Amino acid sequence: MNSESAKSRLPLWVGPALFLLTTGVVVLLGLLAFSITERRWETQRPAIAIQPIAEWEPDNAAWGANYPREYERYLLTRDDTTRTMFGGSFPRDYLEDDPRQVLLFAGYPFSKEYRQARGHYHSVTDVTQTKRISAKNMSSCWTCKSTDVPKRMAEMGVAEFYATPFSEFVGKITHPIGCQDCHDPKTMNLRITRPALREAFAAMGKDIDQATHQEMRSLVCAQCHVEYYFKDGSYVTLPWAGGLGVEQIIAYYDALSFTDWTHAISKTSIIKSQHPDYELYSAGIHAYGGVACADCHMPYRTEGGVKFTDHHVQSPLLNIANSCAVCHRWGEEEIRSRVEAIQTKVANAKLAAEDVLVRAHFDIAAAMQAGATDEELAAARKLVRHAQYRWDFVSSHNGVGFHAPQECTRILGDSAREAQEARLLVARLLAAKGISAEPKYPDLSTRDRAVEVKNAFESGQPTNLL
Amino acid sequence: MNSESAKSRLPLWVGPALFLLTTGVVVLLGLLAFSITERRWETQRPAIAIQPIAEWEPDNAAWGANYPREYERYLLTRDDTTRTMFGGSFPRDYLEDDPRQVLLFAGYPFSKEYRQARGHYHSVTDVTQTKRISAKNMSSCWTCKSTDVPKRMAEMGVAEFYATPFSEFVGKITHPIGCQDCHDPKTMNLRITRPALREAFAAMGKDIDQATHQEMRSLVCAQCHVEYYFKDGSYVTLPWAGGLGVEQIIAYYDALSFTDWTHAISKTSIIKSQHPDYELYSAGIHAYGGVACADCHMPYRTEGGVKFTDHHVQSPLLNIANSCAVCHRWGEEEIRSRVEAIQTKVANAKLAAEDVLVRAHFDIAAAMQAGATDEELAAARKLVRHAQYRWDFVSSHNGVGFHAPQECTRILGDSAREAQEARLLVARLLAAKGISAEPKYPDLSTRDRAVEVKNAFESGQPTNLL
C-alpha cells in the first residue's frame, strides 16, 4: 500500500456508514412528521370504556358522556343568537314586525303568537309555553319536540300516541330535541325515528331505508322540517303522495277538501303551511349538487386533531368560514351580501303578496256585507285559499327563500296574481250589487290596530267595509 | 498496489463519468418532455408576415387572413342551429307560437314580425329584410348590425349618422357584425366602438376605459346586448343613469314621459324593451362570480397545440363540454336539465303574466267602450305601462331567464300583480258605469285570430267587448 493511494481514498466503511446514518435520520424525520400531522396524542380519548346507550335513550347527557365534543356543541343551541338582517324585533316577533300577519291568520292561533323559533335545546320549554297550544291539542304537537317521543311511540303505538291529549304528557316529556332523534345508540348511524317521513316515502313508492348516508344527512332533518297535517285530527302526515312541489301539495289537500281553519274575515277554508324546509331545499341548487342540510347547518369542525360534525345547528351565516366558504372561496362579507341580496328579493315579494292577500280577505268580507252568498264567493275563496297557501309555503319556511331563490320568488308571484284575481272577481260581484267603490280597508299600521280589527271580525262584530 | 485493493475499488473516473452521463440523460429527457407538452411545431404559423389591418377595417375576411382560426369559427355563426326546448316553430316565430304577443304589440311593428334572431353573420341581411323596418326608420337601426358603422360614424359624426334615413345606407352597409366591432386592429385588444355604452358609463359617473380585460369580455357584448331607446328620435341611448335594475329604468323613462308607441287596444303609452341581456346578466350569479359573457358564449377552444377564443358565438347549451362543464363538473344531460328546469319556470311565469296583461288591455278597451275618460283610465294605464315593460324586459332578453333566474321570476311576478291591479281598477270603473260582467274577451287561440282582433283595433273598428 503506497501513501498516495491511502490519502486519496477513504476507508471502505465510511460509505456504508454514511448511508445507514442518512437512512436512520430520514426514518426518524418521517416519524416526527407523521406524529405532527397525525396529532395522535391530541386525539386520544381517555382510557375509559364507551358506556352502552340504551335503545330510545332520551337523555342527551347520557349520550354526551360518550361523545363530549358533539354534546358540548349541541348545548350551544341554547344560545338565542340569530340574524337580524331585516331589522325589527329581536328575537323576532313576526306579528310585531309585520301586522299584516295578524290578519292573514285571523281565526287561528298564529294570529296570537308567532315568534322566530329558538334553538333545539328550547323545544320542550317553548312548546309548553306558546299561546298556540291549548286544551284542544293532541300529542301530535309533541312529535318533533322531544327525544322522549320515539320511546312513548314504541310503548303505546304511534296512532295512540298522536291521539293522546297534549296536556297528558306535560311534565312527563322533558328532553328537548337531541341525539336520539337522529342516531342509532348502538352504531351511531343516522336513522329515521319519526314515522311520518317513512310513511311519506312509502306513499311515493320509495323505500327510505335505501337512502345513502349523504341523503340521510338531510333526511334526519326532514323528519320535522317539512310540511305536514294531522290526518283524522291527530295522525301526523306529510302531503307528499303527489310530489314535493307546492302545486302537487295543493292538489293533495284539495282532493281531501282539507281545511285547517275557516278564515275569520273572508270565511275562506285555509290550509296552514308548516315550514316546508326540506321541500324547498329539494327545489334548490344545493340539493341538486348533493349538498346535505348538515353540510351547511352542521359543518365539520376541528378541535385539536379531531374532525367532527358540529352539532351546534344554526344558520350558516353565523358560521360562514366553516360552511359556505368551504366551497365558495369568497370573502365572508361577499358571501353574506350575496345571500342577503337573494333574501331581500324574497322578503319584498312576500310583503307584496301579503298586501294583496290581506285586501283579498277584506274584499270578500265586503262582498259578504253587501249580501253576497257563499255560492257567489266560492270561486274567489278558492283563489284566496290557494294564494294564501302559496304565500305561507314560502313565509313559513326557514331561510327567507335562500334554499330555492327562484322557486320561492315564483311561488310568491303566483300567490299575488291569484289573490288579485280573487279581488277582481269580488269587484265584479260588488258591481252586480251596485257597489263600485273600493272597500274601506282598515288601518293595519301597528300590531295593536291589526289585533283590534281581527278581534272585531272574530267576535262577529266586523268593521263596516262598505 | 496489491491485487486485493485493485479488485475491490473501481477506477477513479467511473463515478464522475456516471454522474455526467445521468445528468446528460436527464437534460435530454426534460427537453423531450418540454417539446411534447409545448407542442411547439403544431403551433407554428407559416412563415408569412401578419398583414397590417387598417383602422375601422369593416371586412371580416381581411382580419381573417391574419387570424384564420378565429375567422373560421366566426363563419359558423352562419349556421341557424339553435335550441327548441319549448317546442313550437323552428327557427322560432314568436307570434306563431304565442299569439298573445300579437295583441301585446298591437299598434307596433313587433306585432307583424317577431322571430328568433339568427347568428351574427346574418345581421345585415336580416335587418334589411324584416317587416319591422320601414321608410320611417333612421340609421340608429344600423348601429348594431355592421362593422361598417364605426367608420361611417367617424366620417360623418355620431349624431349625424343616427339621424340619416335607414334606407340611405341599404346596399352601402354590407359587412355583418364581426371583428372590428370588438377589436383594435393594431393590438387586437378589446375596445368599445359604439358610443352609447361609453356614454351610459359616463352618465353613471364611470369611466369605461378603466374596465379590466375580464370586464371587457362582457362589455364588448354590452355595446349591443342592452336595453336602449332613441333619444330625440334617433340618438341611441341606454337608460342607465339611475342604475341597471328594471325599477330604475322604469323611473328613468317615466321621468322623460318616454313612449315608444300608444297601444292600439288600451291606448296605453308603452315602452318597448330591447333585449336587456347585460342588465339581467349583471343581476345573476355568473356576473357576481366574475364570469364574462365570452366565458360561456365564446369559451376557449383547442386545435392542435393552440388555445384560442371560440368565435362561434352561440348558446352555451350547444357547447356544454367547453362552456358550462369547465366549471360545473356534471354530466352534460345533468347540466342541460338543470338549465331547462330554470328556464321552464321563467317561461311559465312569462305566459302567466301575458295572460293577465292581454286581459288588462282588453279591460281598459272595454271601459273606453263604456265611455270611460282618459283621466279615469290614467291610473290603470300607468300600471299596464309598467307591467308590460317588466314583462317585456324579461321576454325580450335572451336566455329565457337563465342569466338571472330569481330576478326574472321576481320581475314577472311584479308584472302580473300590477296588471291585475289595473284590471281591478277598471272593474270598479265599469261598476260605476253600471257594468258588472266580465268583458267579452276575444278568441286568441291562433295567430290568425289574434291578427284579426288586432287589425280591428288598429283600424279603429274594435270588437265590441261589452
Side-chain angles (χ1 to χ4, degrees), chain A residues 83 85-86 316-318 320 324 328 330-346 400 402 405, chain B residues 282-285 287-289 406:
Chain A
R83 292 170 59 231
M85 63 167 286
F86 298 114
L317 289 183
L318 295 169
I320 291 175
C324 323
H328 303 284
W330 305 340
E332 288 202 15
E333 275 318 303
E334 268 180 303
I335 289 174
R336 188 188 313 283
S337 79
R338 178 73 198 166
V339 174
E340 292 185 354
I342 288 170
Q343 292 182 325
T344 299
K345 285 183 185 176
V346 172
V400 200
F402 182 74
Chain B
S282 299
I285 186 68
Y288 196 80
Q406 185 195 18

Tab-separated table of all heavy atoms in Angstrom, chain A residues 83 85-86 316-318 320 324 328 330-346 400 402 405, chain B residues 282-285 287-289 406:
chain	number	residue	atom	x	y	z
A	83	ARG	N	-79.991	35.937	13.329
A	83	ARG	CA	-79.701	37.060	12.449
A	83	ARG	C	-80.827	38.078	12.512
A	83	ARG	O	-81.969	37.742	12.755
A	83	ARG	CB	-79.528	36.576	11.016
A	83	ARG	CG	-78.295	35.742	10.837
A	83	ARG	CD	-78.295	35.087	9.491
A	83	ARG	NE	-78.359	36.091	8.449
A	83	ARG	CZ	-79.234	36.055	7.464
A	83	ARG	NH1	-80.103	35.087	7.369
A	83	ARG	NH2	-79.226	37.000	6.553
A	85	MET	N	-81.059	40.650	9.928
A	85	MET	CA	-80.819	41.468	8.735
A	85	MET	C	-81.980	42.386	8.377
A	85	MET	O	-81.780	43.439	7.802
A	85	MET	CB	-80.481	40.601	7.520
A	85	MET	CG	-81.586	39.673	7.076
A	85	MET	SD	-81.299	38.955	5.428
A	85	MET	CE	-81.613	40.323	4.337
A	86	PHE	N	-83.213	41.966	8.693
A	86	PHE	CA	-84.335	42.777	8.239
A	86	PHE	C	-84.807	43.758	9.306
A	86	PHE	O	-85.899	44.291	9.206
A	86	PHE	CB	-85.486	41.877	7.760
A	86	PHE	CG	-85.082	41.029	6.598
A	86	PHE	CD1	-84.995	39.659	6.705
A	86	PHE	CD2	-84.740	41.619	5.391
A	86	PHE	CE1	-84.603	38.883	5.627
A	86	PHE	CE2	-84.349	40.849	4.303
A	86	PHE	CZ	-84.274	39.479	4.424
A	316	PRO	N	-76.077	29.010	8.608
A	316	PRO	CA	-74.706	29.033	8.070
A	316	PRO	C	-74.109	30.439	8.090
A	316	PRO	O	-72.889	30.600	8.144
A	316	PRO	CB	-74.871	28.536	6.639
A	316	PRO	CG	-76.159	27.799	6.621
A	316	PRO	CD	-77.038	28.450	7.650
A	317	LEU	N	-74.972	31.455	8.061
A	317	LEU	CA	-74.454	32.826	8.042
A	317	LEU	C	-73.839	33.224	9.382
A	317	LEU	O	-73.172	34.250	9.470
A	317	LEU	CB	-75.554	33.813	7.653
A	317	LEU	CG	-75.963	33.724	6.178
A	317	LEU	CD1	-76.991	34.776	5.847
A	317	LEU	CD2	-74.766	33.869	5.250
A	318	LEU	N	-74.058	32.417	10.404
A	318	LEU	CA	-73.379	32.663	11.682
A	318	LEU	C	-72.055	31.914	11.738
A	318	LEU	O	-71.349	31.963	12.739
A	318	LEU	CB	-74.289	32.250	12.843
A	318	LEU	CG	-75.581	33.076	12.976
A	318	LEU	CD1	-76.529	32.435	13.969
A	318	LEU	CD2	-75.237	34.498	13.400
A	320	ILE	N	-69.941	31.333	8.530
A	320	ILE	CA	-69.636	31.302	7.096
A	320	ILE	C	-68.327	30.583	6.778
A	320	ILE	O	-68.246	29.785	5.844
A	320	ILE	CB	-69.612	32.747	6.537
A	320	ILE	CG1	-71.037	33.325	6.536
A	320	ILE	CG2	-69.020	32.782	5.134
A	320	ILE	CD1	-71.117	34.783	6.122
A	324	CYS	N	-70.362	27.967	4.182
A	324	CYS	CA	-70.344	28.449	2.792
A	324	CYS	C	-68.934	28.458	2.186
A	324	CYS	O	-68.715	28.021	1.055
A	324	CYS	CB	-70.893	29.867	2.688
A	324	CYS	SG	-72.269	30.242	3.770
A	328	HIS	N	-67.355	27.965	-1.493
A	328	HIS	CA	-67.369	29.255	-2.184
A	328	HIS	C	-66.204	30.094	-1.674
A	328	HIS	O	-66.275	30.651	-0.576
A	328	HIS	CB	-68.699	29.968	-1.945
A	328	HIS	CG	-69.886	29.159	-2.382
A	328	HIS	ND1	-70.235	29.017	-3.708
A	328	HIS	CD2	-70.781	28.418	-1.683
A	328	HIS	CE1	-71.311	28.240	-3.799
A	328	HIS	NE2	-71.667	27.866	-2.589
A	330	TRP	N	-65.004	32.914	-1.494
A	330	TRP	CA	-65.134	34.364	-1.468
A	330	TRP	C	-64.949	34.837	-0.039
A	330	TRP	O	-64.966	34.050	0.896
A	330	TRP	CB	-66.522	34.802	-1.934
A	330	TRP	CG	-66.936	34.304	-3.263
A	330	TRP	CD1	-66.122	33.845	-4.257
A	330	TRP	CD2	-68.278	34.206	-3.758
A	330	TRP	NE1	-66.886	33.478	-5.344
A	330	TRP	CE2	-68.200	33.685	-5.063
A	330	TRP	CE3	-69.530	34.514	-3.240
A	330	TRP	CZ2	-69.323	33.460	-5.850
A	330	TRP	CZ3	-70.644	34.292	-4.012
A	330	TRP	CH2	-70.545	33.775	-5.306
A	331	GLY	N	-64.820	36.146	0.123
A	331	GLY	CA	-64.742	36.712	1.460
A	331	GLY	C	-66.077	36.568	2.168
A	331	GLY	O	-67.130	36.447	1.530
A	332	GLU	N	-66.030	36.602	3.506
A	332	GLU	CA	-67.267	36.422	4.278
A	332	GLU	C	-68.294	37.497	3.936
A	332	GLU	O	-69.479	37.218	3.819
A	332	GLU	CB	-66.979	36.462	5.782
A	332	GLU	CG	-66.251	35.223	6.254
A	332	GLU	CD	-66.423	34.964	7.749
A	332	GLU	OE1	-67.329	35.561	8.369
A	332	GLU	OE2	-65.630	34.174	8.283
A	333	GLU	N	-67.831	38.736	3.794
A	333	GLU	CA	-68.782	39.808	3.520
A	333	GLU	C	-69.389	39.667	2.127
A	333	GLU	O	-70.551	39.990	1.914
A	333	GLU	CB	-68.123	41.183	3.713
A	333	GLU	CG	-68.144	41.655	5.155
A	333	GLU	CD	-69.485	41.367	5.862
A	333	GLU	OE1	-70.534	41.822	5.370
A	333	GLU	OE2	-69.483	40.672	6.891
A	334	GLU	N	-68.595	39.173	1.194
A	334	GLU	CA	-69.124	38.929	-0.152
A	334	GLU	C	-70.223	37.875	-0.116
A	334	GLU	O	-71.264	38.008	-0.754
A	334	GLU	CB	-68.007	38.412	-1.059
A	334	GLU	CG	-67.263	39.482	-1.820
A	334	GLU	CD	-66.181	38.863	-2.691
A	334	GLU	OE1	-65.319	38.149	-2.125
A	334	GLU	OE2	-66.196	39.090	-3.912
A	335	ILE	N	-69.975	36.827	0.634
A	335	ILE	CA	-70.967	35.751	0.740
A	335	ILE	C	-72.227	36.277	1.403
A	335	ILE	O	-73.342	36.079	0.919
A	335	ILE	CB	-70.373	34.556	1.520
A	335	ILE	CG1	-69.312	33.867	0.670
A	335	ILE	CG2	-71.477	33.580	1.949
A	335	ILE	CD1	-68.553	32.761	1.375
A	336	ARG	N	-72.038	36.981	2.521
A	336	ARG	CA	-73.194	37.500	3.249
A	336	ARG	C	-74.023	38.418	2.357
A	336	ARG	O	-75.248	38.337	2.309
A	336	ARG	CB	-72.737	38.258	4.494
A	336	ARG	CG	-73.871	38.669	5.432
A	336	ARG	CD	-73.366	39.586	6.552
A	336	ARG	NE	-72.162	39.045	7.158
A	336	ARG	CZ	-72.145	38.036	8.019
A	336	ARG	NH1	-73.271	37.485	8.401
A	336	ARG	NH2	-71.010	37.582	8.509
A	337	SER	N	-73.339	39.291	1.621
A	337	SER	CA	-74.100	40.262	0.827
A	337	SER	C	-74.844	39.565	-0.313
A	337	SER	O	-75.953	39.938	-0.660
A	337	SER	CB	-73.198	41.374	0.307
A	337	SER	OG	-72.484	40.931	-0.825
A	338	ARG	N	-74.250	38.522	-0.863
A	338	ARG	CA	-74.946	37.765	-1.913
A	338	ARG	C	-76.205	37.095	-1.342
A	338	ARG	O	-77.280	37.167	-1.937
A	338	ARG	CB	-74.000	36.709	-2.498
A	338	ARG	CG	-74.605	35.826	-3.559
A	338	ARG	CD	-74.805	36.540	-4.878
A	338	ARG	NE	-75.745	35.837	-5.742
A	338	ARG	CZ	-76.319	36.346	-6.823
A	338	ARG	NH1	-76.045	37.571	-7.213
A	338	ARG	NH2	-77.160	35.653	-7.533
A	339	VAL	N	-76.062	36.453	-0.212
A	339	VAL	CA	-77.205	35.775	0.415
A	339	VAL	C	-78.288	36.796	0.753
A	339	VAL	O	-79.475	36.585	0.481
A	339	VAL	CB	-76.765	35.026	1.686
A	339	VAL	CG1	-77.985	34.455	2.419
A	339	VAL	CG2	-75.794	33.911	1.336
A	340	GLU	N	-77.877	37.912	1.313
A	340	GLU	CA	-78.870	38.894	1.736
A	340	GLU	C	-79.552	39.564	0.547
A	340	GLU	O	-80.725	39.940	0.638
A	340	GLU	CB	-78.243	39.899	2.712
A	340	GLU	CG	-77.897	39.188	4.023
A	340	GLU	CD	-77.387	40.085	5.130
A	340	GLU	OE1	-77.176	41.300	4.885
A	340	GLU	OE2	-77.190	39.567	6.252
A	341	ALA	N	-78.851	39.691	-0.567
A	341	ALA	CA	-79.490	40.236	-1.778
A	341	ALA	C	-80.608	39.295	-2.232
A	341	ALA	O	-81.700	39.729	-2.596
A	341	ALA	CB	-78.455	40.424	-2.888
A	342	ILE	N	-80.330	37.997	-2.197
A	342	ILE	CA	-81.340	36.999	-2.569
A	342	ILE	C	-82.505	37.045	-1.589
A	342	ILE	O	-83.681	37.067	-1.994
A	342	ILE	CB	-80.694	35.586	-2.584
A	342	ILE	CG1	-79.765	35.446	-3.788
A	342	ILE	CG2	-81.759	34.493	-2.568
A	342	ILE	CD1	-78.911	34.196	-3.776
A	343	GLN	N	-82.203	37.070	-0.319
A	343	GLN	CA	-83.262	37.051	0.697
A	343	GLN	C	-84.100	38.321	0.663
A	343	GLN	O	-85.308	38.278	0.916
A	343	GLN	CB	-82.645	36.843	2.081
A	343	GLN	CG	-82.045	35.440	2.235
A	343	GLN	CD	-81.470	35.194	3.613
A	343	GLN	OE1	-80.919	36.098	4.227
A	343	GLN	NE2	-81.589	33.970	4.110
A	344	THR	N	-83.462	39.451	0.345
A	344	THR	CA	-84.217	40.709	0.293
A	344	THR	C	-85.269	40.656	-0.812
A	344	THR	O	-86.396	41.120	-0.637
A	344	THR	CB	-83.249	41.889	0.070
A	344	THR	OG1	-82.340	41.919	1.165
A	344	THR	CG2	-83.997	43.213	0.011
A	345	LYS	N	-84.898	40.070	-1.957
A	345	LYS	CA	-85.881	39.950	-3.042
A	345	LYS	C	-87.060	39.082	-2.609
A	345	LYS	O	-88.213	39.390	-2.918
A	345	LYS	CB	-85.223	39.364	-4.294
A	345	LYS	CG	-84.355	40.384	-5.002
A	345	LYS	CD	-83.739	39.851	-6.282
A	345	LYS	CE	-82.789	40.902	-6.837
A	345	LYS	NZ	-82.062	40.439	-8.025
A	346	VAL	N	-86.765	37.997	-1.920
A	346	VAL	CA	-87.850	37.129	-1.452
A	346	VAL	C	-88.691	37.863	-0.403
A	346	VAL	O	-89.926	37.826	-0.447
A	346	VAL	CB	-87.292	35.807	-0.883
A	346	VAL	CG1	-88.393	34.984	-0.227
A	346	VAL	CG2	-86.621	35.003	-1.987
A	400	VAL	N	-85.714	32.441	4.480
A	400	VAL	CA	-86.144	33.589	3.657
A	400	VAL	C	-85.856	33.335	2.180
A	400	VAL	O	-85.337	34.199	1.468
A	400	VAL	CB	-85.484	34.913	4.131
A	400	VAL	CG1	-86.294	36.124	3.626
A	400	VAL	CG2	-85.384	34.991	5.637
A	402	PHE	N	-83.728	31.445	0.687
A	402	PHE	CA	-82.386	31.157	0.186
A	402	PHE	C	-82.232	29.723	-0.322
A	402	PHE	O	-81.444	29.465	-1.240
A	402	PHE	CB	-81.315	31.438	1.247
A	402	PHE	CG	-79.939	31.191	0.721
A	402	PHE	CD1	-79.368	32.081	-0.172
A	402	PHE	CD2	-79.239	30.033	1.041
A	402	PHE	CE1	-78.116	31.843	-0.723
A	402	PHE	CE2	-77.992	29.779	0.495
A	402	PHE	CZ	-77.427	30.691	-0.382
A	405	PRO	N	-84.114	30.178	-4.339
A	405	PRO	CA	-84.492	31.579	-4.616
A	405	PRO	C	-85.501	31.728	-5.749
A	405	PRO	O	-86.495	32.438	-5.612
A	405	PRO	CB	-83.158	32.228	-4.986
A	405	PRO	CG	-82.115	31.378	-4.340
A	405	PRO	CD	-82.661	29.988	-4.369
B	282	SER	N	-76.057	41.035	-15.305
B	282	SER	CA	-75.419	41.715	-14.165
B	282	SER	C	-76.090	41.383	-12.837
B	282	SER	O	-75.479	41.510	-11.782
B	282	SER	CB	-75.461	43.237	-14.354
B	282	SER	OG	-74.755	43.585	-15.513
B	283	ALA	N	-77.370	40.975	-12.898
B	283	ALA	CA	-78.092	40.658	-11.663
B	283	ALA	C	-77.913	39.192	-11.267
B	283	ALA	O	-78.452	38.765	-10.252
B	283	ALA	CB	-79.579	40.959	-11.842
B	284	GLY	N	-77.160	38.442	-12.032
B	284	GLY	CA	-77.091	36.995	-11.808
B	284	GLY	C	-75.801	36.533	-11.153
B	284	GLY	O	-74.844	37.305	-10.989
B	285	ILE	N	-75.768	35.262	-10.831
B	285	ILE	CA	-74.657	34.686	-10.078
B	285	ILE	C	-73.383	34.615	-10.919
B	285	ILE	O	-72.278	34.729	-10.386
B	285	ILE	CB	-75.036	33.291	-9.535
B	285	ILE	CG1	-73.969	32.710	-8.619
B	285	ILE	CG2	-75.333	32.316	-10.671
B	285	ILE	CD1	-73.820	33.430	-7.320
B	287	ALA	N	-72.285	36.781	-13.201
B	287	ALA	CA	-71.642	38.093	-13.136
B	287	ALA	C	-71.017	38.297	-11.760
B	287	ALA	O	-69.896	38.793	-11.637
B	287	ALA	CB	-72.661	39.195	-13.426
B	288	TYR	N	-71.744	37.888	-10.717
B	288	TYR	CA	-71.243	38.057	-9.348
B	288	TYR	C	-69.918	37.313	-9.170
B	288	TYR	O	-69.018	37.776	-8.489
B	288	TYR	CB	-72.277	37.522	-8.362
B	288	TYR	CG	-72.053	37.980	-6.949
B	288	TYR	CD1	-72.447	39.241	-6.542
B	288	TYR	CD2	-71.439	37.145	-6.020
B	288	TYR	CE1	-72.239	39.670	-5.243
B	288	TYR	CE2	-71.237	37.568	-4.714
B	288	TYR	CZ	-71.639	38.826	-4.328
B	288	TYR	OH	-71.421	39.251	-3.041
B	289	GLY	N	-69.804	36.164	-9.814
B	289	GLY	CA	-68.581	35.380	-9.711
B	289	GLY	C	-67.513	35.794	-10.710
B	289	GLY	O	-66.482	35.127	-10.832
B	406	GLN	N	-83.754	34.197	-10.398
B	406	GLN	CA	-84.619	34.786	-9.370
B	406	GLN	C	-85.098	36.162	-9.804
B	406	GLN	O	-86.265	36.506	-9.657
B	406	GLN	CB	-83.873	34.898	-8.032
B	406	GLN	CG	-84.797	35.384	-6.918
B	406	GLN	CD	-84.069	35.856	-5.678
B	406	GLN	OE1	-82.875	36.149	-5.706
B	406	GLN	NE2	-84.791	35.942	-4.571
